[in-house]
Amino acid sequence: MTSPLTSQAVPLAGVLGWPISHSLSPLLHGHWIEHLGLKAHYVPLGCPPSAFQEAVPALLKTGFVGFNVTVPHKEAAANLCDVLTSRAEAMGSVNTLWCEEGRLHGDSTDGLGFLSALPALAPGQNGVVIGAGGSAKAIVYALAQEAGLSHITIANRSTGKAEALCNAMAQHVPHVGFEAMPLEAAQNALHDKTLIVNTTSLGMTGQPPLVLDLQDADPNAIVYDIIYTPAQTPLLKTAQAAGLTTMNGLAMLIGQARPGFARWFGVDAPVTGQEEDLLTTALGTASD
Ligand code: ATR
């Protein structure tokens, strides 16, 4: 699976999803392409699930150098790959595809994006992750592998999913302790945590908030909500009022996009400081 086109062709990349109109990736990659003055294009590619398997090799034959992959194709994309990074293998899904020596490679960069925005933590800290879906899986794996946490609590509405995620992670990262609990128990688990992460849709525009009392949280705790609509969720407002460090999902969104850009276009995507403003304006969240 390699492009027959020569290096004189303008490289094309894009994001495959269904639906795709909401994706911010074309805006972000387009900004970097323009900022760097590259001759390249990044386009949205609406692709129904029934066409995905044929679409990827067909597009690669027309000059595409790679893709981002979003809902609902992330697992199907992993199955198409000849080579997966170890984290993509652990996730069973990919969001970034590229070709090397005729072989299709896949990576899962959400965890990298999450970590790119997180300040370095002192080793041996405890964290709590709310949620046990696809985003939580990528984040827990990245935290366990690379952030030096010694213990991670996973709290979820469906406790069984939190337990399954703990068991899976314990296989991959045996030196970290994992504990599952129901969402209602998260409040009582906060006091000794220096990292509190929301990966659920609670707090997203149109959804009920994630209500946590943070008055007794560790004063050094970081509260990281991966939501970016709104830019400041009720949870982050509560954290700010308690004097805690907060982070939203925009930096993660930018961070997960950069590895693909470097693979496809051979140059690092610069963090110019304009990216968050650009995305915030596009989302219409400037006043949130
Ligand atoms: P993503 O890929 O964004 O992680 P997902 O895999 O669908 O999406 O996971 C969504 C997460 O949000 C899950 O942890 C889900 O809890 P359940 O596993 O119990 O379904 C959580 N979630 C979604 N809506 C919720 C709600 N109203 N209350 C509590 N948790 C919710």
Side-chain angles (χ1 to χ4, degrees), residues 70 99 140 155:
T70 186
C99 271
V140 170

PDB file of all heavy atoms in Angstrom, residues 70 99 140 155:
ATOM      1  N   THR A  70     -11.314   8.913  12.766  1.00  0.00           N
ATOM      2  CA  THR A  70     -12.139   9.202  13.935  1.00  0.00           C
ATOM      3  C   THR A  70     -13.373   8.298  13.924  1.00  0.00           C
ATOM      4  O   THR A  70     -13.467   7.366  13.117  1.00  0.00           O
ATOM      5  CB  THR A  70     -12.462  10.727  13.994  1.00  0.00           C
ATOM      6  OG1 THR A  70     -13.151  11.001  15.200  1.00  0.00           O
ATOM      7  CG2 THR A  70     -13.307  11.187  12.817  1.00  0.00           C
ATOM      8  N   CYS A  99       2.098   5.387   5.690  1.00  0.00           N
ATOM      9  CA  CYS A  99       2.751   4.275   4.997  1.00  0.00           C
ATOM     10  C   CYS A  99       4.261   4.349   5.143  1.00  0.00           C
ATOM     11  O   CYS A  99       4.836   5.433   5.110  1.00  0.00           O
ATOM     12  CB  CYS A  99       2.415   4.323   3.505  1.00  0.00           C
ATOM     13  SG  CYS A  99       0.932   3.406   3.139  1.00  0.00           S
ATOM     14  N   VAL A 140      -5.408   6.487  30.661  1.00  0.00           N
ATOM     15  CA  VAL A 140      -4.886   5.654  31.759  1.00  0.00           C
ATOM     16  C   VAL A 140      -3.593   4.965  31.317  1.00  0.00           C
ATOM     17  O   VAL A 140      -2.613   4.918  32.061  1.00  0.00           O
ATOM     18  CB  VAL A 140      -5.946   4.619  32.214  1.00  0.00           C
ATOM     19  CG1 VAL A 140      -5.338   3.607  33.173  1.00  0.00           C
ATOM     20  CG2 VAL A 140      -7.131   5.317  32.860  1.00  0.00           C
ATOM     21  N   ALA A 155     -13.040   5.569  38.163  1.00  0.00           N
ATOM     22  CA  ALA A 155     -14.423   5.619  38.653  1.00  0.00           C
ATOM     23  C   ALA A 155     -15.353   5.760  37.457  1.00  0.00           C
ATOM     24  O   ALA A 155     -15.151   6.639  36.620  1.00  0.00           O
ATOM     25  CB  ALA A 155     -14.599   6.808  39.594  1.00  0.00           C
TER      26      ALA A 155
END
